[in-house]
Amino acid sequence: MIRSLIKLGLLLLAGILVYNYFWGTTEEKAQSKEVFKKTGDALGAAWNLLKSEKEKFDAGKYDKVLDQLGNAYKAIRNQAKNVDEKVLKRLDELEQRKSSLEQELGAIESDEKASSTGNGDAAAKSADQQRRKESLQRQLDSLIRDTDALLKEAQQ
């Protein structure tokens, strides 16, 4: 229902802008041109953001962080004789989360490769990939915070 209202509102807004652009007064035409220009600038900036994120993703932005987490987990395991059982259980849980994130990263990468060869709805696929990357980034940030907390606890 709300989605339909939003679509209807956007369609109405676009209709008004197009009408004013061609048949409006001089002031309305100027406003419409301004809106179209700003919309184009915003879309261009969003496109540049997506391109830079894709470059970072292709360069292994997430792989490096996951590798560093794996090394930290190994270091904690090596010091296991000095760590209590509760820390080891939390470490197991963090390693499972890391493994899950690695699988998700692999799925995103394979979907990206598949979508680059296909010619379906590219905009929808790109938006979905971006949402998946943002979710992966949030989960990765959370995992890093939890790992930092575990490392601090293990050092005490």
Side-chain angles (χ1 to χ4, degrees):
M1 170 91 177
I2 292 176
R3 187 178 294 175
S4 298
L5 288 175
I6 291 173
K7 286 180 184 178
L8 182 63
L10 289 174
L11 186 62
L12 182 63
L13 178 64
I16 290 171
L17 285 171
V18 169
Y19 177 83
N20 284 344
Y21 187 82
F22 290 106
W23 297 287
T25 64
T26 306
E27 183 180 306
E28 292 171 338
K29 286 181 180 181
Q31 283 179 330
S32 292
K33 286 180 184 179
E34 179 87 16
V35 169
F36 285 129
K37 181 179 185 252
K38 287 183 179 179
T39 302
D41 292 344
L43 290 174
W47 182 253
N48 289 336
L49 173 68
L50 286 174
K51 285 190 331 190
S52 74
E53 271 303 308
K54 180 169 181 357
E55 289 170 2
K56 289 178 189 175
F57 186 79
D58 290 342
K61 172 183 175 182
Y62 301 104
D63 293 332
K64 292 174 188 172
V65 173
L66 290 170
D67 289 342
Q68 290 172 347
L69 285 174
N71 293 338
Y73 297 156
K74 286 178 187 174
I76 292 173
R77 286 236 182 258
N78 291 337
Q79 299 292 329
K81 57 185 170 234
N82 301 328
V83 180
D84 68 5
E85 191 65 29
K86 184 176 95 174
V87 172
L88 289 175
K89 287 181 182 178
R90 286 185 51 206
L91 179 59
D92 288 338
E93 183 264 331
L94 290 174
E95 285 178 330
Q96 288 174 352
R97 286 173 53 193
K98 177 186 163 282
S99 176
S100 173
L101 289 178
E102 286 173 333
Q103 290 174 353
E104 177 66 18
L105 177 60
I108 290 172
E109 287 174 344
S110 65
D111 287 350
E112 240 178 27
K113 288 177 185 172
S115 68
S116 68
T117 58
N119 56 356
D121 186 9
K125 288 179 183 177
S126 177
D128 181 51
Q129 287 295 85
Q130 186 61 29
R131 282 191 295 274
R132 291 174 70 189
K133 288 178 186 177
E134 289 169 357
S135 173
L136 181 68
Q137 183 65 49
R138 284 190 301 275
Q139 292 175 26
L140 188 57
D141 290 342
S142 172
L143 182 61
I144 290 170
R145 281 191 304 274
D146 293 346
T147 300
D148 285 341
L150 180 65
L151 288 172
K152 288 177 184 175
E153 183 178 325
Q155 289 174 351
Q156 293 176 354

